[in-house]
Amino acid sequence: MIYWIFVFFLGTIFGSFSHLLVDRNIRQISIIYPRSHCPNCKHKISNIDLIPLISFIMLRGKCRNCNYKISLTYPLFELLGAVLSVLVFRYGITIQSIIIFFSLILCLVISAIDIKSLYIDMVYIYILMFLGLIYRFFYLSFNIGFLKIVLIFSFIFLFIYIISKRNIGDGDYFFYLSLFLFIKNENIVEFLFYSIWIGAFFAIIMAIKRKSTKIMIAFCPYIFLSYLYIINI
């Protein structure tokens, strides 16, 4: 029981941190300064009010200083972090599971930024790729089969990129490559198809809702969902 409480709370901490990364990325400010504050009255939030989920509940979703409603995205991210933590560490905490967990947190950050701004911050992609290189080196392998998959995918993506007149984001390409590093060779094609199917499903819904096929969608969340499924956490 203590283990599960620890894992859950650990996840909320990283979920909260991921929200900070997304929020400050969108607002184009440092993740270090200024310290956390109310967006309405600018009052600095005390440490006691920074406890993930618990503080939100105790404060009834409002700023202690001005009663400004706290966005539901805060507890949502904290809860998502907790769920990811419980899923990844349900069989124990190992170096392998820790790397996978951080890959998921990075995916959450990348996807959220994409949803909010239709922009992919390459800094987080590079960090994800660095983690992926470590993971593949120690737990998978850089064999000919993997290199073939990367080359074929790169050629197809470049072809689509050209004929679509750059209507697909090149950031998605690097996001895909980063996640390839975490996935077994035999599952990469399946991963690709799932992400395309999920993306197409939601694109159709959005097109029907807006009564137009000329829409721009954030594709990273669908890649993330496919990754979640394919690594079978």
Side-chain angles (χ1 to χ4, degrees), residues 4-229:
W4 291 113
I5 293 174
F6 168 75
V7 167
F8 184 90
F9 186 68
L10 180 69
T12 64
I13 293 173
F14 281 100
S16 178
F17 183 64
S18 67
H19 184 278
L20 180 143
L21 294 177
V22 173
D23 179 62
R24 300 209 170 189
N25 181 280
I26 298 299
R27 293 194 288 153
Q28 293 294 295
I29 60 176
S30 169
I31 64 172
I32 300 173
Y33 181 85
R35 63 169 293 172
S36 298
H37 58 275
C38 172
N40 183 56
C41 67
K42 310 303 179 184
H43 181 76
K44 292 180 180 178
I45 301 174
S46 61
N47 292 332
I48 194 67
D49 291 338
L50 289 174
I51 304 173
L53 288 180
I54 296 176
S55 293
F56 184 85
I57 295 171
M58 296 300 293
L59 293 171
R60 297 181 181 180
K62 296 180 180 180
C63 170
R64 184 185 294 275
N65 189 60
C66 69
N67 286 324
Y68 180 77
K69 284 188 177 181
I70 300 171
S71 172
L72 288 175
T73 57
Y74 287 90
L76 176 61
F77 269 74
E78 291 162 4
L79 188 58
L80 283 173
V83 170
L84 292 176
S85 181
V86 169
L87 289 173
V88 173
F89 299 127
R90 68 186 186 277
Y91 298 125
I93 299 177
T94 64
I95 295 177
Q96 184 176 8
S97 63
I98 289 173
I99 295 175
I100 290 295
F101 175 69
F102 280 120
S103 77
L104 292 172
I105 291 296
L106 284 166
C107 285
L108 177 61
V109 171
I110 292 166
S111 298
I113 292 174
D114 193 22
I115 290 173
K116 288 178 174 288
S117 64
L118 292 177
Y119 163 76
I120 298 176
D121 192 324
M122 292 304 296
V123 171
Y124 297 113
I125 294 290
Y126 296 145
I127 297 172
L128 180 64
M129 190 170 290
F130 176 74
L131 274 181
L133 289 170
I134 294 174
Y135 187 85
R136 179 157 284 271
F137 180 81
F138 286 103
Y139 300 106
L140 299 173
S141 64
F142 289 98
N143 52 31
I144 297 298
F146 178 72
L147 295 177
K148 285 182 179 178
I149 291 171
V150 171
L151 287 174
I152 293 172
F153 171 75
S154 299
F155 176 79
I156 294 174
F157 193 94
L158 178 62
F159 177 72
I160 297 174
Y161 184 75
I162 293 173
I163 64 172
S164 68
K165 297 180 180 179
R166 300 183 179 182
N167 282 331
I168 58 173
D170 51 358
D172 294 329
Y173 167 75
F174 292 104
F175 192 30
Y176 268 122
L177 286 189
S178 299
L179 294 179
F180 283 0
L181 295 166
F182 296 91
I183 302 171
K184 295 178 181 178
N185 291 357
E186 58 267 28
N187 294 330
I188 291 178
V189 174
E190 185 181 4
F191 161 63
L192 282 168
F193 278 116
Y194 278 131
S195 65
I196 294 170
W197 290 337
I198 296 171
F201 174 76
F202 283 100
I204 291 171
I205 292 177
M206 290 175 64
I208 294 173
K209 185 177 180 180
R210 298 182 184 181
K211 298 180 180 180
S212 173
T213 57
K214 296 180 179 180
I215 56 174
M216 292 184 67
I217 64 171
F219 201 71
C220 286
Y222 311 126
I223 299 175
F224 179 25
L225 288 174
S226 180
Y227 176 58
L228 271 173
Y229 175 78

